[in-house]
Amino acid sequence: MENSKQRKIIHIDMDAFYASVEQRDNAGYRGKPIAVGGSPEGRGGVVATASYEARKFGVRSAMSSKLAKQRCPDLIFVRPRFEAYKEASLKIREIFKRYTDLIEPLSLDEAYLDVSEDKRNIGSAIEIAKQIKDAIKDELQLTASAGISINKFVAKIASDLDKPNGLTFIGPSRIESFMEALPVEKFFGVGKVTADRMKRMGLFTGADLKKLTEDQLISHFGKSGRFYYKIVRGIDEREVQSSRETKSVGAEDTFPYDLRSLDEMHDELDKLSTVVNERMRRNGLQARTVTLKVKYHDFKQVTRSTSIADVIADIGQLRSLAKQLLATVDIEEKRIRLLGITLSNFGSRPERPESPTEQLPLDLI
Ligand code: DCP
Ligand code: MG
């Protein structure tokens, strides 16, 4: 906040996106508990998302169909129609474009907008968010939630506060107290593993994180520590990046101590696969090439890649490809300081000819 020019950032996130499109297009589903994805017989498969009616019963994204059905016996399972979601997504982006060209989509149903300067000279970010929500409602018969603030992080948290159909503004004067009250798992980049570690250290909220110095945060959490230090003070200088073409998606981890055993390395590869897989999903991407990076304790580094004919089907396949690559690297008697996984050579299933598996790439979670 200090010396940077104050920006106006809106984060828009559609409400129960896939399920709302289904309810819009099929009157029989309206007002009913529906789950997109999964299968009613509980034959494996997970729920991609659930209508708000189903959420009242505790049905959630990524939940097994079996558990979803147990929680909500009347649940209607609906086959996903990705083309319909893509179409709605493109229309939403056209609405955004009326106000600004600085748009950064995060997935089909979510985007950041920088409206510091808006094309219609409206000036008020709150008013722009209202108009966008109204246009989405009028033109697409769908609802969105908006978060408005001076940076991406706070805007994103804000859009989630009053779902569905919410509009939440968190102005500069409220940011610090807001961040202090925020549970650690809500902080950007804090996954479940890190959140659990924080809790074991007695860190439950932003206020707890704030008590640590920047050096302490870095020593506990590596590079992310620096980001946490800033974010908990409401400082997030990341720009809204429009039309960024993603060519690869990766994650890597430098370990606080060198890894020596294959088991530890496999555990790490599983974790990295989860992170990469989640990023791919959020961006609606699928890849054919996996690259493994290994850095030894003496900083020597090797990379290994493999490509497959079809896109990687699910996280299980990603994990096993990563382990196969590791098996080609010399790790005997070696100490490993860093592991990384990158996916590239993107392709997309829905654009290929129809086949039954295309309908359900939901295991990619
Ligand atoms: N999605 C998925 N698997 C997940 C999470 C989401 O396939 N584990 C898909 C279905 C969602 C869409 O992505 O409709 C958008 O994800 P959100 O997390 O924004 O969830 P929703 O839009 O469904 O609900 P909310 O109202 O909570 O935003
Ligand atoms: Mg959403």
Side-chain angles (χ1 to χ4, degrees), residues 257-293:
Y257 58 91
D258 296 335
L259 303 188
R260 290 163 185 267
S261 80
L262 191 61
D263 279 351
E264 286 177 309
M265 294 176 210
H266 279 182
D267 280 354
E268 274 305 325
L269 290 181
D270 285 348
K271 279 187 217 161
L272 288 168
S273 299
T274 306
V275 174
V276 172
N277 195 55
E278 174 63 15
R279 286 188 191 152
M280 294 290 287
R281 188 192 64 70
R282 296 197 71 84
N283 289 291
L285 297 169
Q286 294 181 301
R288 297 193 170 83
T289 301
V290 189
T291 302
L292 172 76
K293 176 157 123 187

Side-chain angles (χ1 to χ4, degrees), residues 117-187:
E117 322 246 325
D118 72 278
K119 290 183 185 173
R120 294 189 170 177
N121 280 322
I122 294 168
S124 155
I126 298 175
E127 178 56 29
I128 294 169
K130 273 191 195 142
Q131 292 192 13
I132 288 175
K133 274 166 54 76
D134 287 348
I136 291 174
K137 182 83 206 159
D138 292 347
E139 298 169 33
L140 300 175
Q141 292 78 49
L142 294 170
T143 64
S145 294
I148 303 136
S149 191
I150 57 168
N151 65 44
K152 283 180 163 183
F153 180 79
V154 182
K156 183 163 161 80
I157 297 271
S159 72
D160 204 39
L161 286 180
D162 193 23
K163 261 184 171 291
N165 200 14
L167 186 137
T168 307
F169 168 66
I170 300 181
S173 62
R174 278 179 61 207
I175 290 183
E176 286 222 43
S177 59
F178 179 79
M179 298 304 284
E180 285 173 6
L182 205 64
V184 289
E185 51 266 53
K186 294 267 182 180
F187 279 82

